[in-house]
Amino acid sequence: MEEALYNKSITCPVCGKKIEVTRVKSRSCIVSSRDTDFCVYYKTVNPMFYDAWVCEFCGYAAQSDRFEEISSRDAEKVIKEISPRWKKRSFTGVRSPEKALEAFKLALYNVQTIDSRPSDFAKICLRIAWIYRMLKDEREKKFLEHALHFYYEVYEKEELPVGKMDEFTCMYMIAELNRRLENYDEAIKWFNRLISSQEARQNKVVLEMAREQYYLTREQKES
Ligand SMILES: [Zn+2]
């Protein structure tokens, strides 16, 4: 296994078996660039590829920060609906983009099966879109559309902040994903809303990005 990676033993909260998950040493992650929707590229190993954990025994999969949180009611749903169809296979060790994609699709299948928040769907769909982008696969667009749909739901229904995402980042994502999907009027509407919000000054980084993307969208609309 690559030096940047290490395995950690955990107990699957669904089937109770011991499993190994592969993690990335944070000092091994060297950023090369960032896209305007926060997709990060690395000179070295990409830690995002390892962020969907999968139990090889029962098929339970989730993002690492949510993996151990599952309720007993949801765990039963996984055992009833996912495990019977699960073909045992391991996700430990080095992950290619394709393997990471497979792990995130399993995580998506799991959030569709159990009680989940729109933000769980949004995060997973966005990461699937990013991996397709890295693979230069046009299915990126389909998953950006799914992610966008869930960001609208996050904005309308969830109490923000959710994890690291505050209200302004959520608005920014709605605007930026609309821009990437060439819905320029809708993108301009949301960037504008963000730029003209007094409270948005709390998040200077996002506000500055919104200003830049607002002008870019207007240029794109006119060309
Ligand atoms: Zn399990």
Side-chain angles (χ1 to χ4, degrees):
M1 198 157 67
E2 268 184 54
E3 244 180 69
L5 306 176
Y6 65 98
N7 286 347
K8 185 185 156 195
S9 267
I10 56 166
T11 303
C12 171
V14 171
C15 70
K17 293 204 169 107
K18 274 241 174 326
I19 58 168
E20 298 242 298
V21 290
T22 300
R23 312 194 68 187
V24 182
K25 292 175 193 160
S26 54
R27 64 183 153 84
S28 306
C29 304
I30 301 164
V31 173
S32 64
S33 63
R34 286 188 170 85
D35 285 342
T36 47
D37 61 355
F38 304 106
C39 174
V40 184
Y41 300 86
Y42 292 85
K43 285 181 191 150
T44 50
V45 58
N46 188 332
M48 189 260 288
F49 288 0
Y50 297 85
D51 195 41
W53 289 357
V54 182
C55 171
E56 62 179 286
F57 299 106
C58 69
Y60 170 55
Q63 284 204 268
S64 59
D65 59 345
R66 304 278 284 154
F67 193 84
E68 278 157 300
E69 270 180 30
I70 189 166
S71 69
S72 53
R73 205 168 132 248
D74 282 336
E76 272 171 39
K77 283 190 198 161
V78 173
I79 287 173
K80 228 160 113 191
E81 290 169 42
I82 292 176
S83 302
R85 286 178 223 154
W86 174 246
K87 290 191 188 77
K88 191 176 173 246
R89 59 197 187 278
S90 170
F91 283 80
T92 313
V94 177
R95 282 185 185 177
S96 62
E98 290 81 2
K99 193 74 181 177
L101 193 59
E102 197 187 339
F104 274 102
K105 288 206 174 161
L106 288 166
L108 182 59
Y109 181 36
N110 273 263
V111 290
Q112 285 167 334
T113 305
I114 64 177
D115 272 335
S116 303
R117 303 175 300 186
S119 53
D120 297 322
F121 282 95
K123 272 168 83 176
I124 294 172
C125 290
L126 184 65
R127 279 152 186 77
I128 293 174
W130 288 344
I131 300 172
Y132 277 131
R133 182 180 305 164
M134 290 168 190
L135 293 169
K136 303 201 178 351
D137 185 312
E138 62 187 24
R139 276 170 284 184
E140 174 196 347
K141 190 175 167 225
K142 197 176 103 194
F143 280 90
L144 286 181
E145 281 167 355
H146 291 317
L148 176 59
H149 163 82
F150 289 111
Y151 279 112
Y152 278 115
E153 284 204 0
V154 172
Y155 189 76
E156 282 160 22
K157 297 177 188 165
E158 278 189 61
E159 199 164 317
L160 291 160
V162 178
K164 286 180 205 154
M165 179 169 61
D166 63 12
E167 188 188 337
F168 315 111
T169 311
C170 186
M171 291 168 83
Y172 176 85
M173 288 309 291
I174 291 172
E176 175 60 13
L177 296 188
N178 270 303
R179 186 192 68 79
R180 284 177 179 265
L181 293 164
E182 298 176 20
N183 307 324
Y184 297 131
D185 289 328
E186 184 72 1
I188 287 170
K189 186 178 109 187
W190 281 86
F191 281 131
N192 211 359
R193 226 166 151 174
L194 184 52
I195 295 165
S196 39
S197 152
Q198 290 291 321
E199 296 88 54
R201 288 178 196 175
Q202 293 165 32
N203 192 332
K204 289 206 171 66
V205 175
V206 162
L207 187 60
E208 196 45 49
M209 287 172 80
R211 281 197 186 110
E212 275 175 35
Q213 294 312 94
Y214 171 73
Y215 292 115
L216 173 66
T217 315
R218 283 186 32 179
E219 272 171 31
Q220 285 179 309
K221 195 194 160 187
E222 277 154 28
S223 62

